[in-house]
Amino acid sequence: MKRAISNIISSIVTSSQELMIGGAPVEVRRSPRAQRMRLRVDPRKRVVLLTIPGRISQRRALAWASEHHEWVARMLAAIPGCEPIVPDARVPFRGEPHRIDWQPGRPRRIVRGDGLLAAGGPLEGLEARVLRWLKGQALETLTEETRTLASRADVMTPRVGVGDPISRWGSCSSSGTIRYSWRLILAPDFVRRATVAHEVAHLVHMNHGPDFHALVAELHGEDPRPARLWLRREGASLHRIGSRI
Ligand SMILES: [Zn+2]
């Protein structure tokens, strides 16, 4: 039986007027460019992101979103807790677990050893230092791999940056800048490389057509589908590394 829209809306508005769906707060984003309504769960902030195109009223969008409360609850339940980077914690690096081997007497600089990341300096700021190191490794590795594949594809080397987007592992702008999630450095090599091949192929084809896919496979040197599957299955686990500050 269909409930009246007003009922649905009242069921997702708490007494504090904070919008909730499936037990999580909702962040509404107005996007004149969006073609349709979109609902996502931010695994890090544990909030629901609702994108509303310009022509659709917030009231209608909220009613639509609330119909998906079960899906939202399922997504939230599937988010594992975060794994803070503390002494003896295991952090994946290029697909292999690395133990945080912290000793206060050592220099602050992070040094990768066999199955461990050696770290020193004060305990305070350890996590920030390890995260900085991981991001640096990500930028260095991804820049180098992007450069190699760009020359193989016979295109100009793009500018490369890393960030921490929620739902994308890489993006390629029409101006030729490629941005990656730094968390790719946590994933196995074939996953990271397939993502690089995907973004570099976009420098040639700004679409997902057959020519694009053929180029991705050529640049990657193997079937890129296992990498996509890996990210779909394990991607959320990469997002739980490090405290959410
Ligand atoms: Zn793409």
Side-chain angles (χ1 to χ4, degrees):
M1 199 178 86
K2 263 198 169 166
R3 285 191 289 163
I5 282 179
S6 59
N7 282 348
I8 295 169
I9 290 176
S10 64
S11 73
I12 56 169
V13 179
T14 63
S15 55
S16 65
Q17 293 301 301
E18 191 185 33
L19 301 170
M20 305 278 287
I21 294 178
V26 182
E27 276 181 26
V28 173
R29 290 174 183 182
R30 276 272 169 201
S31 168
R33 287 190 311 160
Q35 294 297 307
R36 53 197 171 87
M37 294 184 280
R38 212 148 59 100
L39 196 61
R40 281 185 303 156
V41 171
D42 181 337
R44 292 173 297 171
K45 295 199 281 177
R46 288 176 181 266
V47 298
V48 178
L49 303 174
L50 173 62
T51 307
I52 313 179
R55 64 199 153 75
I56 289 178
S57 72
Q58 179 158 324
R59 185 184 173 82
R60 191 175 142 210
L62 287 170
W64 170 79
S66 72
E67 287 171 7
H68 298 280
H69 64 94
E70 264 166 275
W71 175 83
V72 170
R74 251 201 329 273
M75 294 294 285
L76 288 165
I79 301 171
C82 77
E83 291 177 12
I85 298 173
V86 292
D88 290 328
R90 313 245 160 202
V91 175
F93 180 78
R94 296 179 63 171
E96 295 295 328
H98 283 62
R99 186 174 59 83
I100 301 296
D101 183 13
W102 173 74
Q103 286 170 34
R106 285 210 198 108
R108 287 166 176 248
R109 201 162 63 88
I110 313 293
V111 179
R112 185 187 175 198
D114 189 18
L116 57 85
L117 298 179
L123 189 54
E124 195 188 332
L126 173 68
E127 177 164 71
R129 292 198 295 282
V130 173
L131 286 173
R132 227 173 7 248
W133 182 83
L134 288 167
K135 286 173 195 173
Q137 292 290 311
L139 182 61
E140 195 177 299
T141 310
L142 288 160
T143 301
E144 192 186 309
E145 289 173 349
T146 302
R147 193 173 294 154
T148 304
L149 292 197
S151 87
R152 205 176 291 168
D154 211 15
V155 288
M156 284 233 301
T157 299
R159 259 182 304 161
V160 176
V162 294
D164 195 11
I166 303 159
S167 58
R168 308 176 85 176
W169 299 103
S171 61
C172 180
S173 74
S174 51
S175 65
T177 301
I178 295 181
R179 286 189 67 75
Y180 297 102
S181 164
W182 70 263
R183 292 175 190 276
L184 284 168
I185 201 67
L186 308 174
D189 289 348
F190 77 96
V191 173
R192 184 188 68 250
R193 288 181 181 143
T195 308
V196 174
H198 184 106
E199 298 309 330
V200 170
H202 273 318
L203 296 171
V204 182
H205 305 285
M206 259 301 182
N207 55 54
H208 289 131
D211 290 349
F212 166 82
H213 287 297
L215 182 56
V216 174
E218 190 190 321
L219 292 173
H220 187 44
E222 55 188 271
D223 186 353
R225 279 174 298 189
R228 280 216 306 273
L229 199 63
W230 192 97
L231 283 173
R232 214 172 302 146
R233 286 199 183 133
E234 310 290 334
S237 75
L238 304 185
H239 277 294
R240 73 169 182 242
I241 304 300
S243 301
R244 304 289 168 219
I245 308 155

